[in-house]
PDB file of all heavy atoms in Angstrom:
ATOM      1  N   ILE A  15      54.420 -24.524   0.644  1.00 93.00           N
ATOM      2  CA  ILE A  15      54.661 -23.457   1.503  1.00 93.00           C
ATOM      3  C   ILE A  15      55.418 -22.312   0.808  1.00 93.00           C
ATOM      4  O   ILE A  15      55.226 -21.077   1.048  1.00 93.00           O
ATOM      5  CB  ILE A  15      55.589 -23.907   2.686  1.00 93.00           C
ATOM      6  CG1 ILE A  15      54.816 -24.910   3.550  1.00 93.00           C
ATOM      7  CG2 ILE A  15      56.122 -22.860   3.529  1.00 93.00           C
ATOM      8  CD1 ILE A  15      55.584 -25.608   4.617  1.00 93.00           C
ATOM      9  N   GLY A  16      56.329 -22.632  -0.081  1.00 93.00           N
ATOM     10  CA  GLY A  16      57.038 -21.662  -0.943  1.00 93.00           C
ATOM     11  C   GLY A  16      56.070 -20.817  -1.793  1.00 93.00           C
ATOM     12  O   GLY A  16      56.217 -19.617  -1.923  1.00 93.00           O
ATOM     13  N   GLY A  17      55.070 -21.551  -2.406  1.00 92.00           N
ATOM     14  CA  GLY A  17      54.171 -20.814  -3.226  1.00 92.00           C
ATOM     15  C   GLY A  17      53.289 -19.913  -2.424  1.00 92.00           C
ATOM     16  O   GLY A  17      53.014 -18.793  -2.783  1.00 92.00           O
ATOM     17  N   PHE A  18      52.853 -20.343  -1.233  1.00 94.00           N
ATOM     18  CA  PHE A  18      52.074 -19.523  -0.377  1.00 94.00           C
ATOM     19  C   PHE A  18      52.876 -18.289   0.105  1.00 94.00           C
ATOM     20  O   PHE A  18      52.330 -17.234   0.156  1.00 94.00           O
ATOM     21  CB  PHE A  18      51.572 -20.335   0.867  1.00 94.00           C
ATOM     22  CG  PHE A  18      50.988 -19.464   1.935  1.00 94.00           C
ATOM     23  CD1 PHE A  18      49.714 -18.905   1.806  1.00 94.00           C
ATOM     24  CD2 PHE A  18      51.743 -19.237   3.074  1.00 94.00           C
ATOM     25  CE1 PHE A  18      49.235 -18.087   2.807  1.00 94.00           C
ATOM     26  CE2 PHE A  18      51.208 -18.422   4.145  1.00 94.00           C
ATOM     27  CZ  PHE A  18      49.967 -17.914   4.001  1.00 94.00           C
ATOM     28  N   PHE A  19      54.137 -18.513   0.421  1.00 95.00           N
ATOM     29  CA  PHE A  19      54.923 -17.381   0.923  1.00 95.00           C
ATOM     30  C   PHE A  19      55.184 -16.301  -0.202  1.00 95.00           C
ATOM     31  O   PHE A  19      55.079 -15.148   0.095  1.00 95.00           O
ATOM     32  CB  PHE A  19      56.293 -17.890   1.401  1.00 95.00           C
ATOM     33  CG  PHE A  19      57.261 -16.823   1.975  1.00 95.00           C
ATOM     34  CD1 PHE A  19      56.947 -16.351   3.232  1.00 95.00           C
ATOM     35  CD2 PHE A  19      58.356 -16.486   1.334  1.00 95.00           C
ATOM     36  CE1 PHE A  19      57.681 -15.306   3.810  1.00 95.00           C
ATOM     37  CE2 PHE A  19      59.219 -15.472   1.910  1.00 95.00           C
ATOM     38  CZ  PHE A  19      58.868 -14.891   3.161  1.00 95.00           C
ATOM     39  N   VAL A  20      55.422 -16.749  -1.386  1.00 95.00           N
ATOM     40  CA  VAL A  20      55.530 -15.810  -2.491  1.00 95.00           C
ATOM     41  C   VAL A  20      54.238 -15.017  -2.696  1.00 95.00           C
ATOM     42  O   VAL A  20      54.230 -13.876  -2.909  1.00 95.00           O
ATOM     43  CB  VAL A  20      56.003 -16.551  -3.817  1.00 95.00           C
ATOM     44  CG1 VAL A  20      55.913 -15.595  -4.940  1.00 95.00           C
ATOM     45  CG2 VAL A  20      57.393 -17.048  -3.648  1.00 95.00           C
ATOM     46  N   ALA A  21      53.087 -15.836  -2.735  1.00 95.00           N
ATOM     47  CA  ALA A  21      51.819 -15.093  -2.890  1.00 95.00           C
ATOM     48  C   ALA A  21      51.500 -14.197  -1.742  1.00 95.00           C
ATOM     49  O   ALA A  21      50.920 -13.091  -1.887  1.00 95.00           O
ATOM     50  CB  ALA A  21      50.735 -16.177  -3.016  1.00 95.00           C
ATOM     51  N   PHE A  22      51.967 -14.569  -0.525  1.00 95.00           N
ATOM     52  CA  PHE A  22      51.687 -13.750   0.656  1.00 95.00           C
ATOM     53  C   PHE A  22      52.490 -12.422   0.575  1.00 95.00           C
ATOM     54  O   PHE A  22      52.031 -11.336   0.832  1.00 95.00           O
ATOM     55  CB  PHE A  22      52.167 -14.422   1.914  1.00 95.00           C
ATOM     56  CG  PHE A  22      52.295 -13.579   3.142  1.00 95.00           C
ATOM     57  CD1 PHE A  22      51.175 -13.247   3.860  1.00 95.00           C
ATOM     58  CD2 PHE A  22      53.565 -13.130   3.549  1.00 95.00           C
ATOM     59  CE1 PHE A  22      51.268 -12.402   5.016  1.00 95.00           C
ATOM     60  CE2 PHE A  22      53.597 -12.289   4.694  1.00 95.00           C
ATOM     61  CZ  PHE A  22      52.457 -11.973   5.455  1.00 95.00           C
ATOM     62  N   LEU A  23      53.754 -12.473   0.110  1.00 96.00           N
ATOM     63  CA  LEU A  23      54.592 -11.244  -0.136  1.00 96.00           C
ATOM     64  C   LEU A  23      53.903 -10.387  -1.237  1.00 96.00           C
ATOM     65  O   LEU A  23      53.917  -9.199  -1.042  1.00 96.00           O
ATOM     66  CB  LEU A  23      56.000 -11.621  -0.465  1.00 96.00           C
ATOM     67  CG  LEU A  23      56.851 -12.416   0.569  1.00 96.00           C
ATOM     68  CD1 LEU A  23      58.263 -12.636   0.078  1.00 96.00           C
ATOM     69  CD2 LEU A  23      56.908 -11.400   1.855  1.00 96.00           C
ATOM     70  N   PHE A  24      53.473 -10.999  -2.228  1.00 95.00           N
ATOM     71  CA  PHE A  24      52.852 -10.222  -3.366  1.00 95.00           C
ATOM     72  C   PHE A  24      51.663  -9.486  -2.741  1.00 95.00           C
ATOM     73  O   PHE A  24      51.458  -8.324  -3.049  1.00 95.00           O
ATOM     74  CB  PHE A  24      52.499 -11.075  -4.484  1.00 95.00           C
ATOM     75  CG  PHE A  24      51.801 -10.519  -5.595  1.00 95.00           C
ATOM     76  CD1 PHE A  24      52.468  -9.744  -6.604  1.00 95.00           C
ATOM     77  CD2 PHE A  24      50.384 -10.604  -5.646  1.00 95.00           C
ATOM     78  CE1 PHE A  24      51.721  -9.082  -7.546  1.00 95.00           C
ATOM     79  CE2 PHE A  24      49.642  -9.971  -6.689  1.00 95.00           C
ATOM     80  CZ  PHE A  24      50.397  -9.235  -7.697  1.00 95.00           C
ATOM     81  N   CYS A  25      50.804 -10.185  -2.074  1.00 94.00           N
ATOM     82  CA  CYS A  25      49.583  -9.507  -1.542  1.00 94.00           C
ATOM     83  C   CYS A  25      49.814  -8.527  -0.494  1.00 94.00           C
ATOM     84  O   CYS A  25      49.124  -7.466  -0.431  1.00 94.00           O
ATOM     85  CB  CYS A  25      48.653 -10.641  -0.950  1.00 94.00           C
ATOM     86  SG  CYS A  25      47.852 -11.734  -2.156  1.00 94.00           S
ATOM     87  N   PHE A  26      50.866  -8.739   0.358  1.00 95.00           N
ATOM     88  CA  PHE A  26      51.151  -7.767   1.291  1.00 95.00           C
ATOM     89  C   PHE A  26      51.745  -6.411   0.756  1.00 95.00           C
ATOM     90  O   PHE A  26      51.422  -5.402   1.234  1.00 95.00           O
ATOM     91  CB  PHE A  26      52.331  -8.384   2.320  1.00 95.00           C
ATOM     92  CG  PHE A  26      52.537  -7.435   3.493  1.00 95.00           C
ATOM     93  CD1 PHE A  26      51.637  -7.316   4.531  1.00 95.00           C
ATOM     94  CD2 PHE A  26      53.725  -6.653   3.509  1.00 95.00           C
ATOM     95  CE1 PHE A  26      51.991  -6.474   5.664  1.00 95.00           C
ATOM     96  CE2 PHE A  26      54.002  -5.834   4.574  1.00 95.00           C
ATOM     97  CZ  PHE A  26      53.080  -5.742   5.616  1.00 95.00           C
ATOM     98  N   PHE A  27      52.440  -6.603  -0.402  1.00 95.00           N
ATOM     99  CA  PHE A  27      52.964  -5.439  -1.096  1.00 95.00           C
ATOM    100  C   PHE A  27      51.838  -4.634  -1.608  1.00 95.00           C
ATOM    101  O   PHE A  27      51.900  -3.352  -1.644  1.00 95.00           O
ATOM    102  CB  PHE A  27      53.889  -5.842  -2.197  1.00 95.00           C
ATOM    103  CG  PHE A  27      54.588  -4.720  -2.851  1.00 95.00           C
ATOM    104  CD1 PHE A  27      55.683  -4.032  -2.301  1.00 95.00           C
ATOM    105  CD2 PHE A  27      54.077  -4.349  -4.097  1.00 95.00           C
ATOM    106  CE1 PHE A  27      56.247  -2.967  -3.006  1.00 95.00           C
ATOM    107  CE2 PHE A  27      54.672  -3.241  -4.832  1.00 95.00           C
ATOM    108  CZ  PHE A  27      55.779  -2.595  -4.285  1.00 95.00           C
ATOM    109  N   PHE A  28      50.801  -5.215  -2.106  1.00 94.00           N
ATOM    110  CA  PHE A  28      49.581  -4.578  -2.610  1.00 94.00           C
ATOM    111  C   PHE A  28      48.380  -4.581  -1.697  1.00 94.00           C
ATOM    112  O   PHE A  28      47.274  -4.609  -2.160  1.00 94.00           O
ATOM    113  CB  PHE A  28      49.152  -5.183  -4.015  1.00 94.00           C
ATOM    114  CG  PHE A  28      50.217  -5.037  -5.009  1.00 94.00           C
ATOM    115  CD1 PHE A  28      51.061  -6.065  -5.413  1.00 94.00           C
ATOM    116  CD2 PHE A  28      50.326  -3.800  -5.768  1.00 94.00           C
ATOM    117  CE1 PHE A  28      52.003  -5.909  -6.471  1.00 94.00           C
ATOM    118  CE2 PHE A  28      51.311  -3.653  -6.754  1.00 94.00           C
ATOM    119  CZ  PHE A  28      52.118  -4.655  -7.087  1.00 94.00           C
ATOM    120  N   ALA A  29      48.706  -4.671  -0.369  1.00 93.00           N
ATOM    121  CA  ALA A  29      47.633  -4.824   0.558  1.00 93.00           C
ATOM    122  C   ALA A  29      46.605  -3.672   0.571  1.00 93.00           C
ATOM    123  O   ALA A  29      45.405  -3.920   0.712  1.00 93.00           O
ATOM    124  CB  ALA A  29      48.258  -5.003   2.026  1.00 93.00           C
ATOM    125  N   LYS A  30      47.127  -2.455   0.549  1.00 92.00           N
ATOM    126  CA  LYS A  30      46.251  -1.257   0.490  1.00 92.00           C
ATOM    127  C   LYS A  30      45.352  -1.260  -0.739  1.00 92.00           C
ATOM    128  O   LYS A  30      44.135  -0.998  -0.568  1.00 92.00           O
ATOM    129  CB  LYS A  30      47.087   0.003   0.659  1.00 92.00           C
ATOM    130  CG  LYS A  30      47.616   0.222   1.974  1.00 92.00           C
ATOM    131  CD  LYS A  30      48.363   1.504   2.093  1.00 92.00           C
ATOM    132  CE  LYS A  30      48.986   1.740   3.477  1.00 92.00           C
ATOM    133  NZ  LYS A  30      49.669   3.060   3.571  1.00 92.00           N
ATOM    134  N   GLN A  31      45.920  -1.611  -1.822  1.00 93.00           N
ATOM    135  CA  GLN A  31      45.150  -1.671  -3.093  1.00 93.00           C
ATOM    136  C   GLN A  31      44.055  -2.733  -2.998  1.00 93.00           C
ATOM    137  O   GLN A  31      42.937  -2.571  -3.451  1.00 93.00           O
ATOM    138  CB  GLN A  31      46.068  -1.809  -4.323  1.00 93.00           C
ATOM    139  CG  GLN A  31      47.014  -0.716  -4.673  1.00 93.00           C
ATOM    140  CD  GLN A  31      48.210  -0.618  -3.835  1.00 93.00           C
ATOM    141  OE1 GLN A  31      48.408  -1.334  -2.822  1.00 93.00           O
ATOM    142  NE2 GLN A  31      49.270   0.199  -4.316  1.00 93.00           N
ATOM    143  N   LEU A  32      44.424  -3.927  -2.503  1.00 93.00           N
ATOM    144  CA  LEU A  32      43.498  -4.962  -2.276  1.00 93.00           C
ATOM    145  C   LEU A  32      42.391  -4.597  -1.359  1.00 93.00           C
ATOM    146  O   LEU A  32      41.213  -4.994  -1.544  1.00 93.00           O
ATOM    147  CB  LEU A  32      44.211  -6.176  -1.799  1.00 93.00           C
ATOM    148  CG  LEU A  32      45.139  -6.950  -2.825  1.00 93.00           C
ATOM    149  CD1 LEU A  32      45.895  -8.073  -2.147  1.00 93.00           C
ATOM    150  CD2 LEU A  32      44.409  -7.387  -4.004  1.00 93.00           C
ATOM    151  N   PHE A  33      42.763  -3.957  -0.240  1.00 93.00           N
ATOM    152  CA  PHE A  33      41.718  -3.385   0.686  1.00 93.00           C
ATOM    153  C   PHE A  33      40.758  -2.422   0.135  1.00 93.00           C
ATOM    154  O   PHE A  33      39.565  -2.517   0.277  1.00 93.00           O
ATOM    155  CB  PHE A  33      42.452  -2.842   1.962  1.00 93.00           C
ATOM    156  CG  PHE A  33      41.465  -2.673   3.122  1.00 93.00           C
ATOM    157  CD1 PHE A  33      41.225  -3.665   3.979  1.00 93.00           C
ATOM    158  CD2 PHE A  33      40.750  -1.439   3.348  1.00 93.00           C
ATOM    159  CE1 PHE A  33      40.258  -3.504   4.985  1.00 93.00           C
ATOM    160  CE2 PHE A  33      39.926  -1.207   4.280  1.00 93.00           C
ATOM    161  CZ  PHE A  33      39.662  -2.222   5.139  1.00 93.00           C
ATOM    162  N   ASN A  34      41.368  -1.573  -0.693  1.00 93.00           N
ATOM    163  CA  ASN A  34      40.504  -0.578  -1.400  1.00 93.00           C
ATOM    164  C   ASN A  34      39.526  -1.265  -2.407  1.00 93.00           C
ATOM    165  O   ASN A  34      38.438  -0.865  -2.631  1.00 93.00           O
ATOM    166  CB  ASN A  34      41.292   0.436  -2.201  1.00 93.00           C
ATOM    167  CG  ASN A  34      41.989   1.426  -1.266  1.00 93.00           C
ATOM    168  OD1 ASN A  34      41.484   1.750  -0.217  1.00 93.00           O
ATOM    169  ND2 ASN A  34      43.252   1.809  -1.670  1.00 93.00           N
ATOM    170  N   LEU A  35      40.058  -2.380  -3.011  1.00 93.00           N
ATOM    171  CA  LEU A  35      39.146  -3.167  -3.858  1.00 93.00           C
ATOM    172  C   LEU A  35      37.979  -3.811  -3.189  1.00 93.00           C
ATOM    173  O   LEU A  35      36.925  -3.919  -3.528  1.00 93.00           O
ATOM    174  CB  LEU A  35      40.066  -4.192  -4.565  1.00 93.00           C
ATOM    175  CG  LEU A  35      39.331  -5.096  -5.684  1.00 93.00           C
ATOM    176  CD1 LEU A  35      38.951  -4.256  -6.778  1.00 93.00           C
ATOM    177  CD2 LEU A  35      40.260  -6.173  -6.143  1.00 93.00           C
ATOM    178  N   LEU A  36      38.265  -4.266  -1.892  1.00 92.00           N
ATOM    179  CA  LEU A  36      37.270  -4.876  -1.041  1.00 92.00           C
ATOM    180  C   LEU A  36      36.246  -3.835  -0.532  1.00 92.00           C
ATOM    181  O   LEU A  36      35.193  -4.235  -0.042  1.00 92.00           O
ATOM    182  CB  LEU A  36      37.919  -5.628   0.061  1.00 92.00           C
ATOM    183  CG  LEU A  36      38.705  -6.852  -0.285  1.00 92.00           C
ATOM    184  CD1 LEU A  36      39.343  -7.400   0.944  1.00 92.00           C
ATOM    185  CD2 LEU A  36      37.868  -7.894  -0.931  1.00 92.00           C
ATOM    186  N   VAL A  37      36.597  -2.567  -0.481  1.00 92.00           N
ATOM    187  CA  VAL A  37      35.692  -1.534  -0.024  1.00 92.00           C
ATOM    188  C   VAL A  37      34.741  -1.127  -1.041  1.00 92.00           C
ATOM    189  O   VAL A  37      33.663  -0.457  -0.738  1.00 92.00           O
ATOM    190  CB  VAL A  37      36.529  -0.335   0.412  1.00 92.00           C
ATOM    191  CG1 VAL A  37      35.671   0.800   0.929  1.00 92.00           C
ATOM    192  CG2 VAL A  37      37.516  -0.693   1.607  1.00 92.00           C
ATOM    193  N   ILE A  38      34.905  -1.521  -2.334  1.00 92.00           N
ATOM    194  CA  ILE A  38      34.007  -1.161  -3.367  1.00 92.00           C
ATOM    195  C   ILE A  38      32.553  -1.528  -3.041  1.00 92.00           C
ATOM    196  O   ILE A  38      31.575  -0.827  -3.308  1.00 92.00           O
ATOM    197  CB  ILE A  38      34.506  -1.693  -4.723  1.00 92.00           C
ATOM    198  CG1 ILE A  38      35.785  -0.904  -5.052  1.00 92.00           C
ATOM    199  CG2 ILE A  38      33.501  -1.566  -5.875  1.00 92.00           C
ATOM    200  CD1 ILE A  38      36.432  -1.483  -6.434  1.00 92.00           C
ATOM    201  N   PRO A  39      32.346  -2.836  -2.568  1.00 92.00           N
ATOM    202  CA  PRO A  39      30.907  -3.201  -2.207  1.00 92.00           C
ATOM    203  C   PRO A  39      30.308  -2.307  -1.305  1.00 92.00           C
ATOM    204  O   PRO A  39      29.142  -2.018  -1.258  1.00 92.00           O
ATOM    205  CB  PRO A  39      31.060  -4.660  -1.784  1.00 92.00           C
ATOM    206  CG  PRO A  39      32.275  -5.163  -2.443  1.00 92.00           C
ATOM    207  CD  PRO A  39      33.225  -4.022  -2.446  1.00 92.00           C
ATOM    208  N   PHE A  40      31.175  -1.730  -0.319  1.00 91.00           N
ATOM    209  CA  PHE A  40      30.670  -0.846   0.716  1.00 91.00           C
ATOM    210  C   PHE A  40      30.231   0.449   0.010  1.00 91.00           C
ATOM    211  O   PHE A  40      29.180   1.085   0.403  1.00 91.00           O
ATOM    212  CB  PHE A  40      31.782  -0.591   1.691  1.00 91.00           C
ATOM    213  CG  PHE A  40      31.364   0.242   2.889  1.00 91.00           C
ATOM    214  CD1 PHE A  40      29.966   0.432   3.188  1.00 91.00           C
ATOM    215  CD2 PHE A  40      32.244   0.794   3.772  1.00 91.00           C
ATOM    216  CE1 PHE A  40      29.556   1.149   4.297  1.00 91.00           C
ATOM    217  CE2 PHE A  40      31.896   1.523   4.891  1.00 91.00           C
ATOM    218  CZ  PHE A  40      30.517   1.652   5.171  1.00 91.00           C
ATOM    219  N   LYS A  41      30.945   0.889  -0.999  1.00 91.00           N
ATOM    220  CA  LYS A  41      30.609   2.096  -1.680  1.00 91.00           C
ATOM    221  C   LYS A  41      29.230   1.863  -2.500  1.00 91.00           C
ATOM    222  O   LYS A  41      28.440   2.781  -2.486  1.00 91.00           O
ATOM    223  CB  LYS A  41      31.635   2.452  -2.706  1.00 91.00           C
ATOM    224  CG  LYS A  41      32.897   3.027  -2.023  1.00 91.00           C
ATOM    225  CD  LYS A  41      33.971   3.397  -2.966  1.00 91.00           C
ATOM    226  CE  LYS A  41      35.274   3.832  -2.363  1.00 91.00           C
ATOM    227  NZ  LYS A  41      36.264   4.312  -3.415  1.00 91.00           N
ATOM    228  N   TRP A  42      29.007   0.685  -3.012  1.00 91.00           N
ATOM    229  CA  TRP A  42      27.771   0.365  -3.650  1.00 91.00           C
ATOM    230  C   TRP A  42      26.661   0.463  -2.677  1.00 91.00           C
ATOM    231  O   TRP A  42      25.552   1.010  -2.994  1.00 91.00           O
ATOM    232  CB  TRP A  42      27.821  -0.980  -4.313  1.00 91.00           C
ATOM    233  CG  TRP A  42      28.857  -1.133  -5.473  1.00 91.00           C
ATOM    234  CD1 TRP A  42      29.330  -0.086  -6.243  1.00 91.00           C
ATOM    235  CD2 TRP A  42      29.404  -2.327  -5.930  1.00 91.00           C
ATOM    236  NE1 TRP A  42      30.190  -0.620  -7.114  1.00 91.00           N
ATOM    237  CE2 TRP A  42      30.180  -1.961  -7.053  1.00 91.00           C
ATOM    238  CE3 TRP A  42      29.280  -3.677  -5.622  1.00 91.00           C
ATOM    239  CZ2 TRP A  42      31.003  -2.882  -7.744  1.00 91.00           C
ATOM    240  CZ3 TRP A  42      30.004  -4.588  -6.333  1.00 91.00           C
ATOM    241  CH2 TRP A  42      30.840  -4.226  -7.425  1.00 91.00           C
ATOM    242  N   ALA A  43      26.861  -0.006  -1.464  1.00 89.00           N
ATOM    243  CA  ALA A  43      25.779  -0.008  -0.420  1.00 89.00           C
ATOM    244  C   ALA A  43      25.380   1.429  -0.033  1.00 89.00           C
ATOM    245  O   ALA A  43      24.305   1.708   0.168  1.00 89.00           O
ATOM    246  CB  ALA A  43      26.327  -0.803   0.768  1.00 89.00           C
TER     247      ALA A  43
END
Side-chain angles (χ1 to χ4, degrees):
I15 295 173
F18 168 73
F19 184 70
V20 172
F22 168 80
L23 292 178
F24 175 81
C25 292
F26 185 76
F27 184 77
F28 294 101
K30 289 185 178 180
Q31 290 84 345
L32 291 174
F33 192 84
N34 289 327
L35 186 65
L36 293 178
V37 175
I38 292 177
F40 189 15
K41 293 182 178 180
W42 294 339

